[in-house]
Amino acid sequence: MDDDSREGRDPAPAVTRSIRLLGLLAEAGGPRTLTELAGDLGLAKSSTANLCLALEGGGMVERTSQGYRLGLRTAELGGAFAAQFNQVREFYSVCEASPVLHTELVQVAMLDGSDALYLARHEGSQSLRLGTPLGSRLPAPLSATGRALLSAMTDAEVTALLGENAVFPALTERSTTTMSALLEALEAARRRGWSIDAEESLRGVVGVAVPLSAWAPSDPPLALGVAIRAGEADYERIERVGGALREAAAVLTNPFSAAARR
C-alpha cells in the first residue's frame, strides 16, 4: 500500500509527515539519522530526505554529523507561542519584583491533555540547575503545576479528563498512582491555596504551584510553580513560597476579569 493510500483523505500528506518528523526529533533528545527517521515514519529514505531538505531550508531542522535535530526556528516559534499570552510576557518582571520569587526557579505551565507543558522559566539567583526544560512535559497528576491546573477544575471535570479508573505512572517511589489519591491531593490544594509535589515527579525536587486564571477568554489556563531542592523544602519555605506565588498570581490576573472579582 502506498503512502497516499495509508493516509487516506489527508488534505496535505507532506505537511502531516513533516509534523510527525518534527515530533520524532522532539522526542529523541538528540540527532536521528535519515535511516532511523525513514523507518519511524514508514517512508522511503528518498521521501524522508526531501522532507528533511525542505525543513532544513526553513530552519526547522538542522543537519549534524550524527544526523538531524531540531533547528533554531522551532525555538523561535515556541517563544512566539508563549509570548502571545499577557501573563507570560509579564511573568519575568513579576518574579524579579518579588522579594521571595526573585531568588527561586519559577516556571509557567499550561495543560496539554493530561500533561503539564512548560512554557517559561525564571532562573532565580539560588535556583536549581535542573528541573523541567522549556517545551517539556510532566504528567499533570504528579507535578505541582499540573495539580494546580487540575485544582481549578471540578472533580467531575478531572475524572472526565483523566478517566475514572486512571492509573498514573510511578515516576518515583513517592508518586501518587490512583485517581482517589489524586482527588484528595487536589482538595487539599484548594484548601491550602497551592499545590505540592513532594518528589512525586522528580527525585530530590519539591514543587509548589498555584493556578492562574486566563487573562483573556481565548487564553489557556496557566499555572505558576517553584521547584525547591528537597533538602531545603522545610515547612517555612514552602509556606513562604506558596504565599509569594499567590501574590504573583493576583498581579498576573486581569483586573477586569471575573476571577479578579471573586
Side-chain angles (χ1 to χ4, degrees), residues 11-206:
V15 175
T16 300
R17 295 168 189 156
S18 296
I19 293 170
R20 288 173 57 202
L21 190 152
L22 292 172
L24 290 171
L25 293 179
E27 294 168 2
R32 301 291 304 278
T33 67
L34 184 64
T35 299
E36 290 171 335
L37 289 171
D40 288 341
L41 292 170
L43 298 176
K45 286 180 66 175
S46 58
S47 299
T48 306
N50 287 336
L51 291 177
C52 289
L53 185 63
L55 291 169
E56 186 178 11
M60 300 296 287
V61 305
E62 58 185 32
R63 190 169 8 185
T64 72
S65 58
Q66 291 81 38
Y68 289 92
R69 66 185 181 190
L70 292 178
L72 288 175
R73 183 63 176 152
T74 59
E76 294 173 356
L77 292 174
F81 171 78
Q84 295 177 103
F85 310 122
N86 286 290
Q87 289 158 311
V88 174
R89 289 198 299 270
E90 299 298 325
F91 157 72
Y92 301 99
S93 59
V94 169
C95 289
E96 287 295 336
S98 169
V100 174
L101 300 182
H102 80 279
T103 64
E104 301 286 358
L105 169 58
V106 193
Q107 295 176 289
V108 176
M110 65 177 286
L111 196 63
D112 184 22
S114 60
D115 291 335
L117 172 65
Y118 290 84
L119 302 177
R121 178 181 175 112
H122 163 78
E123 296 278 359
S125 58
Q126 299 178 17
S127 71
L128 295 167
R129 295 308 169 194
L130 51 93
T132 313
L134 297 185
S136 62
R137 302 165 181 268
L138 283 174
L142 303 183
S143 64
T145 50
R147 288 180 177 179
L149 289 158
L150 295 174
S151 72
M153 303 164 63
T154 66
D155 284 357
E157 290 171 332
V158 173
T159 301
L161 174 66
L162 302 176
E164 184 175 358
N165 299 312
V167 177
F168 313 122
L171 300 184
T172 76
E173 63 277 5
R174 295 175 177 265
S175 296
T176 292
T177 59
T178 65
M179 178 61 74
S180 59
L182 172 63
L183 293 179
E184 289 179 10
L186 296 181
E187 180 55 32
R190 296 181 189 111
R191 292 196 305 267
R192 188 191 306 117
W194 58 82
S195 61
I196 292 179
D197 153 20
E199 298 186 78
E200 294 191 54
S201 58
L202 293 169
R203 286 187 180 88
V205 179
V206 172

